[in-house]
Amino acid sequence: MRIPLQTGGPNMHSYYTDTPCTWCDGCGDYGIWTAMKRALVELGYHPWQILLCYDVGCHGNGADKTRAYTFHGLHGRVLPFAAGASLANPNVPVIAFGGDGASFSEGVGHMVHSVRSNYPMTFVLHNNANYGLTTGQASSLTWQDQPMNSSPNGIPERTLPSMDFIFSLEPTFVARGFSGNIEQMVRIFKTALQHRGFAYVDILQACPTYNHLATHDWLLSHVYDANSEGHDPSNFEEARRIAVDTTDRISTGILYQNEDIPSFYERLIPRQQRKTTAVEEVERTDVSELMKEFV
Ligand code: SF4
Protein backbone atom coordinates (compact mmCIF):
# COMPACT_ATOMS: atom_id res chain seq x y z
CA MET A 1 0.00 0.00 0.00
CA ARG A 2 3.02 2.29 -0.01
CA ILE A 3 3.78 4.77 -2.78
CA PRO A 4 6.32 3.20 -5.15
CA LEU A 5 9.83 4.22 -4.28
CA GLN A 6 11.46 6.68 -6.65
CA THR A 7 14.99 7.41 -7.68
CA GLY A 8 16.08 11.02 -7.95
CA GLY A 9 13.66 13.86 -7.45
CA PRO A 10 13.58 15.01 -3.84
CA ASN A 11 16.64 16.27 -2.00
CA MET A 12 17.34 17.82 1.40
CA HIS A 13 16.35 21.24 0.13
CA SER A 14 12.90 19.87 -0.72
CA TYR A 15 12.22 19.77 3.04
CA TYR A 16 13.69 23.21 3.76
CA THR A 17 11.73 26.03 5.40
CA ASP A 18 12.78 29.56 6.36
CA THR A 19 11.59 29.02 9.93
CA PRO A 20 14.65 29.37 12.16
CA CYS A 21 15.54 26.52 14.49
CA THR A 22 15.02 27.36 18.16
CA TRP A 23 16.45 24.20 19.66
CA CYS A 24 19.36 24.67 22.10
CA ASP A 25 22.90 24.29 20.82
CA GLY A 26 23.86 20.62 20.91
CA CYS A 27 20.26 19.37 21.13
CA GLY A 28 19.74 15.87 19.74
CA ASP A 29 16.69 17.12 17.87
CA TYR A 30 19.02 18.38 15.13
CA GLY A 31 20.41 14.93 14.45
CA ILE A 32 17.02 13.18 14.45
CA TRP A 33 15.52 15.89 12.21
CA THR A 34 18.41 15.61 9.77
CA ALA A 35 18.40 11.81 9.73
CA MET A 36 14.67 11.62 9.05
CA LYS A 37 14.92 14.03 6.13
CA ARG A 38 17.84 12.06 4.73
CA ALA A 39 15.92 8.79 5.07
CA LEU A 40 12.91 10.26 3.26
CA VAL A 41 15.10 11.65 0.49
CA GLU A 42 16.95 8.35 0.07
CA LEU A 43 13.62 6.53 -0.16
CA GLY A 44 12.56 8.97 -2.86
CA TYR A 45 9.68 10.59 -1.01
CA HIS A 46 8.73 14.15 -1.87
CA PRO A 47 7.37 16.25 1.02
CA TRP A 48 3.87 16.07 -0.40
CA GLN A 49 3.88 12.27 -0.32
CA ILE A 50 4.21 11.84 3.45
CA LEU A 51 2.59 12.97 6.72
CA LEU A 52 4.66 13.99 9.74
CA CYS A 53 2.78 14.15 13.06
CA TYR A 54 4.32 15.77 16.14
CA ASP A 55 3.37 15.54 19.80
CA VAL A 56 3.95 18.48 22.15
CA GLY A 57 7.56 18.86 23.23
CA CYS A 58 10.76 20.50 22.04
CA HIS A 59 10.85 18.11 19.09
CA GLY A 60 7.29 19.17 18.21
CA ASN A 61 8.60 22.46 16.89
CA GLY A 62 9.93 20.38 14.02
CA ALA A 63 6.44 20.75 12.56
CA ASP A 64 7.42 24.29 11.54
CA LYS A 65 10.97 23.42 10.56
CA THR A 66 10.10 20.81 7.97
CA ARG A 67 8.44 21.51 4.67
CA ALA A 68 5.89 18.72 4.39
CA TYR A 69 2.37 17.92 5.46
CA THR A 70 2.80 18.27 9.22
CA PHE A 71 0.48 18.11 12.20
CA HIS A 72 1.23 19.33 15.73
CA GLY A 73 -1.18 17.68 18.14
CA LEU A 74 -2.18 17.71 21.78
CA HIS A 75 0.15 16.49 24.49
CA GLY A 76 0.33 12.71 24.49
CA ARG A 77 -2.22 12.32 21.69
CA VAL A 78 -0.14 12.11 18.55
CA LEU A 79 -0.62 8.37 18.12
CA PRO A 80 -4.41 8.21 17.71
CA PHE A 81 -4.32 11.08 15.24
CA ALA A 82 -1.49 9.57 13.24
CA ALA A 83 -3.10 6.13 13.27
CA GLY A 84 -6.37 7.58 12.04
CA ALA A 85 -4.60 9.35 9.18
CA SER A 86 -2.75 6.18 8.28
CA LEU A 87 -5.94 4.12 8.17
CA ALA A 88 -7.83 6.78 6.22
CA ASN A 89 -5.21 6.79 3.51
CA PRO A 90 -2.72 3.93 3.76
CA ASN A 91 -1.03 5.10 0.55
CA VAL A 92 0.61 7.92 2.51
CA PRO A 93 3.43 6.93 4.90
CA VAL A 94 2.74 8.38 8.35
CA ILE A 95 5.46 9.14 10.87
CA ALA A 96 4.60 10.17 14.42
CA PHE A 97 7.13 11.79 16.76
CA GLY A 98 6.70 11.91 20.53
CA GLY A 99 8.79 12.58 23.62
CA ASP A 100 9.36 10.21 26.52
CA GLY A 101 7.19 12.35 28.78
CA ALA A 102 4.09 12.39 26.62
CA SER A 103 4.50 8.87 25.28
CA PHE A 104 4.97 7.11 28.63
CA SER A 105 2.74 9.24 30.87
CA GLU A 106 -0.04 11.31 29.27
CA GLY A 107 -0.26 9.09 26.19
CA VAL A 108 0.83 5.70 27.52
CA GLY A 109 -2.58 4.16 26.83
CA HIS A 110 -2.31 5.14 23.19
CA MET A 111 1.12 3.50 23.04
CA VAL A 112 -0.30 0.22 24.36
CA HIS A 113 -3.04 0.08 21.75
CA SER A 114 -0.86 1.29 18.88
CA VAL A 115 1.60 -1.54 19.44
CA ARG A 116 -1.04 -4.23 19.92
CA SER A 117 -3.04 -2.92 16.95
CA ASN A 118 0.02 -2.95 14.69
CA TYR A 119 -1.08 0.19 12.91
CA PRO A 120 0.78 0.66 9.60
CA MET A 121 2.94 3.61 10.65
CA THR A 122 6.26 4.61 12.17
CA PHE A 123 6.69 6.05 15.66
CA VAL A 124 9.89 7.86 16.67
CA LEU A 125 10.50 8.39 20.39
CA HIS A 126 12.60 11.46 21.21
CA ASN A 127 13.97 9.92 24.38
CA ASN A 128 15.86 12.59 26.32
CA ALA A 129 14.51 11.33 29.65
CA ASN A 130 12.89 14.57 30.72
CA TYR A 131 10.26 17.18 29.87
CA GLY A 132 12.57 19.61 28.08
CA LEU A 133 9.95 22.03 26.76
CA THR A 134 8.68 22.81 30.27
CA THR A 135 12.24 23.30 31.61
CA GLY A 136 13.51 19.95 32.70
CA GLN A 137 11.02 18.13 34.90
CA ALA A 138 11.48 14.40 35.42
CA SER A 139 9.54 12.06 33.15
CA SER A 140 8.74 8.42 33.83
CA LEU A 141 11.94 7.50 31.97
CA THR A 142 14.23 9.76 34.04
CA TRP A 143 16.66 7.84 36.22
CA GLN A 144 15.21 7.63 39.73
CA ASP A 145 18.08 9.31 41.56
CA GLN A 146 18.71 11.98 38.95
CA PRO A 147 18.20 15.54 40.26
CA MET A 148 15.87 17.46 37.95
CA ASN A 149 13.99 20.72 38.14
CA SER A 150 11.01 20.23 40.49
CA SER A 151 12.63 17.06 41.91
CA PRO A 152 16.10 18.11 43.13
CA ASN A 153 16.39 14.96 45.27
CA GLY A 154 15.34 12.63 42.48
CA ILE A 155 11.88 11.17 41.92
CA PRO A 156 10.32 8.77 44.42
CA GLU A 157 8.91 6.54 41.68
CA ARG A 158 10.88 3.82 39.95
CA THR A 159 11.97 4.53 36.39
CA LEU A 160 9.61 2.90 33.92
CA PRO A 161 11.41 0.10 32.01
CA SER A 162 10.16 1.26 28.63
CA MET A 163 11.81 -1.37 26.45
CA ASP A 164 10.60 -4.25 28.61
CA PHE A 165 7.15 -2.66 28.55
CA ILE A 166 7.15 -2.39 24.74
CA PHE A 167 8.34 -5.97 24.30
CA SER A 168 5.60 -7.18 26.65
CA LEU A 169 3.09 -5.89 24.08
CA GLU A 170 4.51 -8.21 21.39
CA PRO A 171 5.60 -5.53 18.90
CA THR A 172 6.44 -6.34 15.29
CA PHE A 173 9.30 -3.83 14.97
CA VAL A 174 11.61 -2.34 17.58
CA ALA A 175 14.75 -0.31 16.94
CA ARG A 176 16.94 1.95 19.04
CA GLY A 177 19.26 4.68 17.84
CA PHE A 178 21.33 7.53 19.22
CA SER A 179 20.90 11.15 18.18
CA GLY A 180 24.64 11.44 17.56
CA ASN A 181 24.75 8.67 14.96
CA ILE A 182 23.04 9.96 11.85
CA GLU A 183 24.17 7.14 9.56
CA GLN A 184 22.60 4.54 11.80
CA MET A 185 19.40 6.56 12.29
CA VAL A 186 19.01 6.87 8.51
CA ARG A 187 19.30 3.09 8.18
CA ILE A 188 16.81 2.52 11.00
CA PHE A 189 14.29 5.06 9.68
CA LYS A 190 14.44 3.66 6.14
CA THR A 191 13.78 0.15 7.44
CA ALA A 192 11.02 1.34 9.77
CA LEU A 193 9.28 3.26 6.99
CA GLN A 194 9.06 0.11 4.91
CA HIS A 195 7.78 -2.04 7.79
CA ARG A 196 4.39 -3.62 7.31
CA GLY A 197 2.92 -2.59 10.69
CA PHE A 198 3.76 -0.42 13.70
CA ALA A 199 7.46 0.42 13.78
CA TYR A 200 8.61 1.54 17.24
CA VAL A 201 11.87 3.49 17.09
CA ASP A 202 13.48 4.71 20.34
CA ILE A 203 16.12 7.37 19.79
CA LEU A 204 18.32 8.14 22.79
CA GLN A 205 18.55 11.89 22.54
CA ALA A 206 20.96 14.30 24.16
CA CYS A 207 19.35 17.25 25.98
CA PRO A 208 22.39 19.29 27.05
CA THR A 209 20.26 21.93 28.75
CA TYR A 210 18.44 19.73 31.25
CA ASN A 211 19.77 16.17 31.21
CA HIS A 212 23.28 16.40 32.59
CA LEU A 213 23.77 12.66 33.10
CA ALA A 214 22.78 11.02 29.79
CA THR A 215 24.87 13.51 27.82
CA HIS A 216 26.03 13.14 24.23
CA ASP A 217 29.42 11.90 25.42
CA TRP A 218 27.91 9.50 27.95
CA LEU A 219 25.59 8.03 25.34
CA LEU A 220 28.41 7.84 22.81
CA SER A 221 30.53 5.85 25.24
CA HIS A 222 27.73 3.39 26.12
CA VAL A 223 25.95 2.55 22.85
CA TYR A 224 26.96 -0.23 20.48
CA ASP A 225 25.56 -1.40 17.16
CA ALA A 226 24.00 -4.80 17.82
CA ASN A 227 23.52 -5.55 14.12
CA SER A 228 27.22 -5.11 13.39
CA GLU A 229 27.91 -7.56 16.23
CA GLY A 230 25.74 -10.19 14.55
CA HIS A 231 22.39 -9.73 16.31
CA ASP A 232 19.57 -11.47 14.44
CA PRO A 233 16.47 -9.17 14.43
CA SER A 234 14.14 -12.14 13.90
CA ASN A 235 15.00 -13.54 17.36
CA PHE A 236 12.35 -12.08 19.69
CA GLU A 237 13.76 -13.37 22.98
CA GLU A 238 17.30 -12.28 22.22
CA ALA A 239 16.06 -8.90 20.99
CA ARG A 240 14.19 -8.38 24.23
CA ARG A 241 17.18 -9.45 26.28
CA ILE A 242 19.63 -7.04 24.66
CA ALA A 243 17.04 -4.24 24.59
CA VAL A 244 16.41 -4.48 28.33
CA ASP A 245 19.93 -5.18 29.56
CA THR A 246 21.63 -1.79 29.70
CA THR A 247 23.91 -2.65 32.62
CA ASP A 248 27.21 -2.05 30.85
CA ARG A 249 26.32 -1.16 27.25
CA ILE A 250 23.20 -0.05 25.40
CA SER A 251 22.25 -1.95 22.26
CA THR A 252 21.22 0.03 19.20
CA GLY A 253 20.16 -0.87 15.67
CA ILE A 254 17.26 -2.94 14.34
CA LEU A 255 16.54 -5.03 17.42
CA TYR A 256 13.39 -6.86 16.31
CA GLN A 257 11.52 -7.13 13.02
CA ASN A 258 8.68 -9.44 12.04
CA GLU A 259 7.07 -8.94 8.64
CA ASP A 260 4.74 -11.96 8.97
CA ILE A 261 2.11 -10.22 11.13
CA PRO A 262 -0.60 -8.38 9.16
CA SER A 263 -1.16 -4.74 10.02
CA PHE A 264 -4.40 -3.43 11.54
CA TYR A 265 -5.53 -2.25 8.11
CA GLU A 266 -4.90 -5.62 6.50
CA ARG A 267 -7.07 -7.27 9.17
CA LEU A 268 -10.04 -4.97 8.54
CA ILE A 269 -12.45 -7.28 6.74
CA PRO A 270 -14.62 -4.47 5.24
CA ARG A 271 -11.54 -2.93 3.62
CA GLN A 272 -10.16 -6.08 2.07
CA GLN A 273 -12.25 -5.98 -1.10
CA ARG A 274 -11.94 -2.21 -1.53
CA LYS A 275 -9.81 -0.67 -4.25
CA THR A 276 -10.30 2.85 -2.84
CA THR A 277 -9.17 4.42 0.42
CA ALA A 278 -11.49 5.94 3.00
CA VAL A 279 -10.47 9.48 2.05
CA GLU A 280 -11.46 8.78 -1.55
CA GLU A 281 -14.88 7.61 -0.38
CA VAL A 282 -15.76 10.73 1.57
CA GLU A 283 -18.73 12.43 -0.08
CA ARG A 284 -18.79 16.18 -0.42
CA THR A 285 -21.76 17.59 1.47
CA ASP A 286 -23.12 21.11 1.12
CA VAL A 287 -23.46 22.44 4.70
CA SER A 288 -24.29 26.04 3.76
CA GLU A 289 -27.96 25.71 4.84
CA LEU A 290 -26.93 24.21 8.15
CA MET A 291 -24.38 26.95 8.77
CA LYS A 292 -27.07 29.64 8.42
CA GLU A 293 -28.42 28.50 11.81
CA PHE A 294 -25.20 29.71 13.42
CA VAL A 295 -24.85 33.11 11.72
FE1 SF4 B 1 16.75 20.20 23.06
FE2 SF4 B 1 16.71 19.97 25.71
FE3 SF4 B 1 16.92 22.38 24.58
FE4 SF4 B 1 14.65 21.03 24.43
S1 SF4 B 1 15.59 21.83 26.30
S2 SF4 B 1 15.64 22.13 22.73
S3 SF4 B 1 15.34 18.89 24.25
S4 SF4 B 1 18.42 20.70 24.48
Side-chain angles (χ1 to χ4, degrees):
M1 299 299 285
R2 298 286 195 231
I3 295 172
L5 303 183
Q6 305 172 355
T7 55
N11 53 46
M12 291 295 275
H13 192 73
S14 307
Y15 289 86
Y16 174 80
T17 72
D18 289 331
T19 308
C21 282
T22 52
W23 295 315
C24 309
D25 288 351
C27 177
D29 282 340
Y30 290 104
I32 301 171
W33 177 63
T34 300
M36 180 55 76
K37 289 188 291 184
R38 268 188 54 186
L40 292 167
V41 167
E42 290 184 20
L43 287 173
Y45 288 122
H46 292 273
W48 44 267
Q49 291 178 308
I50 53 146
L51 174 65
L52 305 176
C53 304
Y54 294 84
D55 210 298
V56 170
C58 292
H59 75 280
N61 297 330
D64 304 325
K65 299 167 177 50
T66 314
R67 180 172 174 261
Y69 287 115
T70 62
F71 173 84
H72 199 166
L74 298 173
H75 202 197
R77 313 301 169 199
V78 71
L79 281 169
F81 175 85
S86 171
L87 299 177
N89 189 356
N91 293 326
V92 173
V94 174
I95 304 155
F97 301 88
D100 50 284
S103 304
F104 286 97
S105 287
E106 291 87 349
V108 69
H110 301 307
M111 180 64 73
V112 170
H113 298 292
S114 295
V115 176
R116 69 180 273 266
S117 299
N118 204 27
Y119 294 132
M121 57 176 282
T122 297
F123 173 74
V124 177
L125 180 71
H126 282 250
N127 186 357
N128 57 22
N130 81 101
Y131 287 93
L133 187 68
T134 48
T135 67
Q137 292 78 25
S139 76
S140 52
L141 303 197
T142 304
W143 297 342
Q144 189 173 23
D145 298 330
Q146 182 169 351
M148 300 295 292
N149 290 344
S150 80
S151 54
N153 300 312
I155 51 174
E157 305 96 332
R158 292 190 302 273
T159 303
L160 193 147
S162 59
M163 272 298 191
D164 208 20
F165 176 69
I166 291 295
F167 271 94
S168 74
L169 301 170
E170 300 186 7
T172 60
F173 185 102
V174 178
R176 182 159 54 198
F178 161 49
S179 61
N181 188 340
I182 289 180
E183 291 297 330
Q184 185 192 50
M185 282 191 289
V186 171
R187 177 170 64 84
I188 289 172
F189 291 157
K190 286 169 68 176
T191 310
L193 274 156
Q194 296 173 88
H195 178 57
R196 185 176 183 180
F198 188 79
Y200 177 86
V201 181
D202 178 347
I203 302 294
L204 303 172
Q205 178 197 331
C207 170
T209 303
Y210 295 118
N211 190 333
H212 302 298
L213 295 186
T215 62
H216 176 92
D217 288 342
W218 187 91
L219 291 167
L220 187 63
S221 65
H222 283 76
V223 294
Y224 72 98
D225 189 323
N227 302 123
S228 67
E229 294 192 10
H231 170 63
D232 173 8
S234 69
N235 186 334
F236 182 89
E237 293 304 328
E238 180 64 5
R240 184 172 189 167
R241 189 189 71 75
I242 65 170
V244 171
D245 183 3
T246 56
T247 313
D248 298 316
R249 300 191 303 163
I250 303 173
S251 59
T252 61
I254 312 289
L255 302 181
Y256 182 65
Q257 184 174 12
N258 184 344
E259 298 295 334
D260 296 332
I261 309 292
S263 72
F264 182 95
Y265 192 88
E266 292 170 297
R267 285 190 186 277
L268 284 176
I269 302 295
R271 304 301 316 172
Q272 290 179 352
Q273 305 305 322
R274 296 269 189 165
K275 302 280 186 236
T276 52
T277 64
V279 288
E280 293 168 323
E281 296 155 14
V282 174
E283 295 180 8
R284 290 190 180 278
T285 303
D286 183 356
V287 296
S288 53
E289 285 302 313
L290 175 67
M291 292 304 290
K292 287 177 184 170
E293 295 182 23
F294 302 98
V295 175

